[in-house]
Amino acid sequence: MTREEIIRPEHLVYEKPALLNDVNMHYCPGCSHGVIHKLVAEVIAEMGMEEKTIGISPVGCAVFAYKYIDIDWQEAAHGRAPALATACKRLWPDRLVFSYQGDGDIACIGTGEAIHALNRGENITMIFVNNAIYGMTGGQMAPTTLVGMKTVTCPYGRDPQLHGYPLKLTEIAATLEGTAYVTRQSVHNVAAIRRAKKAIRHAFENSMEGKGSNLIEFVSTCSSGWKLSPVKANQWMEEHMFEYYHVGDLKDSQRK
């Protein structure tokens, strides 16, 4: 049976965006990255920015983002995506520039770059995927790992007296003068996906209109790192992650 016989038009619920390359993604089943990639590709196409977008992919699970979305990409050293995004936007101010980073990248090794780029009001968007664990390197504790959550480097659970508290980078970003739009979203169901797409569009439009820096955090799952099935990972995220990382807009300078 051919691919065309399997994937018939009447069976398609969502059409694949033209900007998504026809390659198999390396992400684990149930991973949020694939859905976020689709939304980013859709928004870029709908804005007509296919030829004028630069994505910055760093180190982590999303290191191969450049294989999946057919735009110009730059590869940054671990944590340095906001610095590279700043350079790209300043050199080519007519470009739509965004970074795509995990929690270990943006909230640990790259915290300095992220905070200062946001505070400077660089006209870029940072997409921050928070699954509370180092998914690619074996499931170690991340800056965003919840209190009591077990990982391979805190097998008895995160202890704030020993490890400190989970870092709420998005709340910090909302206090900075340079930020135009700061929001926390998810893609765990259809309603959430629709809200997430609107958030991406709003942030990208702010970037192009010179309104300042934008941060979109996605509370996401990591079935492999959490050692849960995709369905149970979604349930765990709703029961535990959302309680600490509240979903919604934290700052929007365009809406009073």
Side-chain angles (χ1 to χ4, degrees):
M1 185 174 289
T2 66
R3 181 177 183 273
E4 288 71 24
E5 290 173 322
I6 296 172
I7 306 176
R8 297 177 181 176
E10 61 268 27
H11 295 161
L12 290 175
V13 179
Y14 294 108
E15 185 178 358
K16 184 177 180 180
L19 282 183
L20 281 185
N21 292 320
D22 193 16
V23 295
N24 293 326
M25 289 188 174
H26 73 286
Y27 301 119
C28 303
C31 179
S32 304
H33 278 300
V35 179
I36 301 170
H37 282 8
K38 180 179 185 292
L39 297 181
V40 170
E42 286 180 348
V43 170
I44 292 171
E46 289 169 10
M47 291 178 66
M49 296 297 292
E50 299 96 321
E51 302 299 325
K52 286 195 170 185
T53 298
I54 302 173
I56 313 295
S57 62
V59 176
C61 286
V63 66
F64 296 125
Y66 58 80
K67 291 176 61 177
Y68 307 131
I69 305 177
D70 189 16
I71 56 173
D72 289 332
W73 286 90
Q74 290 286 328
E75 184 74 22
H78 203 355
R80 315 309 179 209
L84 181 52
T86 295
C88 290
K89 185 64 175 180
R90 291 192 181 193
L91 283 169
W92 298 289
D94 64 327
R95 297 300 197 264
L96 170 61
V97 181
F98 71 95
S99 67
Y100 191 98
Q101 303 174 256
D103 49 286
D105 187 86
I106 196 171
C108 187
I109 193 170
T111 310
E113 280 78 4
I115 290 293
H116 288 289
L118 290 166
N119 194 50
R120 289 194 305 268
E122 303 291 346
N123 294 308
I124 60 176
T125 294
M126 300 180 198
I127 295 175
F128 159 30
V129 183
N130 175 15
N131 55 26
I133 204 166
Y134 282 84
M136 186 184 73
T137 55
Q140 297 90 346
M141 184 182 68
T144 54
T145 298
L146 298 175
V147 172
M149 183 177 175
K150 297 178 180 180
T151 74
V152 297
T153 50
C154 56
Y156 300 105
R158 179 173 191 151
D159 180 356
Q161 300 303 315
L162 180 61
H163 309 113
Y165 291 92
L167 183 64
K168 290 186 174 181
L169 180 65
T170 303
E171 276 78 358
I172 295 171
T175 69
L176 303 176
E177 294 290 340
T179 52
Y181 182 50
V182 179
T183 188
R184 183 180 285 124
Q185 301 291 328
S186 66
V187 292
H188 66 293
N189 59 34
V190 174
I193 290 171
R194 288 174 177 164
R195 290 191 294 269
K197 184 176 179 179
K198 290 180 180 178
I200 295 170
R201 179 68 182 253
H202 188 44
F204 283 2
E205 287 177 345
N206 278 349
S207 297
M208 293 309 298
E209 293 168 9
K211 299 292 178 57
S213 54
N214 306 270
L215 177 68
I216 307 173
E217 175 184 345
F218 283 98
V219 182
S220 58
T221 58
C222 183
S223 303
S224 297
W226 296 355
K227 296 179 173 55
L228 296 171
S229 69
V231 172
K232 289 185 177 179
N234 252 350
Q235 293 172 345
W236 194 92
M237 178 177 66
E238 291 185 70
E239 293 171 3
H240 302 280
M241 293 280 282
F242 290 169
E243 184 179 352
Y244 189 79
Y245 298 112
H246 301 294
V247 175
D249 291 349
L250 283 76
K251 178 181 180 181
D252 189 350
S253 60
Q254 304 306 302
R255 300 191 184 108
K256 304 299 182 183

